[in-house]
Amino acid sequence: MTVRLMVVDDHRLLAEALASALKLRGHRVVAAAAPGPGAAELALARSPEVCLWGTSTPSAPGAFEGVLRIRKERPATAVVVLGPVPDTRGVAAAFAAGACGYVRQDERIDGVERAALRARAGEVAVAPQLLSEAFDALLNPPPQADDEGSRLLALLTRREVEVLLRVSEGEDTQAIADGMRIAPSTARTHVQRVLMKLDVGSRLEAAALAARTGLLERAAGHPGGSPGDTGGAGGS
């Protein structure tokens, strides 16, 4: 049974190789392209029955913008995504965009052909276990890492980050001033600004907050929150 197909893949050689293999099996391939606006335009212009949409990054933002457009403007075209496994969130994203199938990229040509035939018949072309895992990931997303440390770090200048690190190491005002080669009054001002920005009332609270939110680790790798901003009240 012949299917009018279009093949898309972010590796153009793979798209052309798959297109050639499907042609040898008697299918009509109307185009082979890389994903993006141009691929959607081709699909709209050539009206394939099935579009095989290959991507190595299905979880990336915008990976299925072309699929969304095809399904909106040419709903008669069924889209089957060819993507990596495991990537359950990518599978979920594909179906959310309107795809009716998902086939792993290392599938044999027989499996791709079966998926195309099922898609043309209006059926869902995906392994039941994969679909179950994808929607479980969508409905029960893993907890996101606490990013409070990054938010707090962005509030501080380079000088204030250094002051916070020294405060967390237990240095007093004089030690901070000596270590940074600034006047004690300037060191004291920096400390007060750090406490104000972190919305805490003491150096101990500042150190505890920094440790709890991971701010210390971020600060150690990024010496300052505002590039180019030395925050030098009083200079060095």
Side-chain angles (χ1 to χ4, degrees):
M1 187 179 296
T2 300
V3 181
R4 180 182 170 88
L5 292 160
M6 176 174 168
V7 181
V8 176
D9 197 281
D10 44 16
H11 295 88
R12 184 61 183 263
L13 286 176
L14 292 181
E16 293 177 352
L18 180 55
S20 296
L22 290 166
K23 285 178 182 178
L24 289 174
R25 289 174 171 262
H27 301 291
R28 183 182 177 190
V29 180
V30 298
E41 292 288 349
L42 271 176
L44 296 176
R46 302 191 181 183
S47 302
E49 294 173 307
V50 177
C51 179
L52 299 175
W53 191 279
T55 175
S56 58
T57 56
S59 298
F64 298 123
E65 286 182 0
V67 175
L68 280 166
R69 186 178 176 198
I70 292 169
R71 294 299 297 150
K72 179 180 179 181
E73 300 184 32
R74 191 77 65 189
T77 295
V79 179
V80 175
V81 171
L82 309 179
V85 174
D87 191 336
T88 52
R89 295 197 65 76
V91 179
F95 280 95
C100 66
Y102 191 104
V103 178
R104 55 190 302 159
Q105 287 175 322
D106 59 357
E107 180 62 80
R108 296 171 62 88
I109 186 65
D110 290 351
V112 176
E113 184 180 38
R114 284 195 298 272
L117 289 167
R118 292 184 64 182
R120 191 184 70 166
E123 301 175 12
V124 175
V126 62
Q129 181 62 28
L130 182 59
L131 187 61
S132 174
E133 291 173 356
F135 281 96
D136 181 63
L138 184 64
L139 295 172
N140 302 290
Q144 297 299 307
D146 183 9
D147 204 33
E148 182 71 359
S150 293
R151 184 187 70 80
L152 294 173
L153 181 60
L155 299 176
L156 306 177
T157 66
R158 285 189 176 91
R159 281 293 182 85
E160 289 162 355
V161 168
E162 183 177 353
V163 167
L164 177 60
L165 289 171
R166 290 178 179 276
V167 165
S168 298
E169 291 170 0
E171 292 187 9
D172 60 17
T173 300
Q174 187 61 54
I176 293 172
D178 292 343
M180 297 178 66
R181 297 182 180 178
I182 57 178
S185 59
T186 301
R188 191 174 298 107
T189 297
H190 284 319
V191 171
Q192 290 304 314
R193 286 181 176 174
V194 169
L195 299 183
M196 179 184 67
K197 290 183 177 182
L198 298 184
D199 194 25
V200 294
S202 69
R203 299 183 184 206
L204 183 60
E205 287 182 69
L209 177 64
R212 187 177 72 250
T213 61
L215 195 160
L216 289 177
E217 289 78 6
R218 291 174 172 84
H222 302 278
S226 304
D229 181 4
T230 60
S236 61

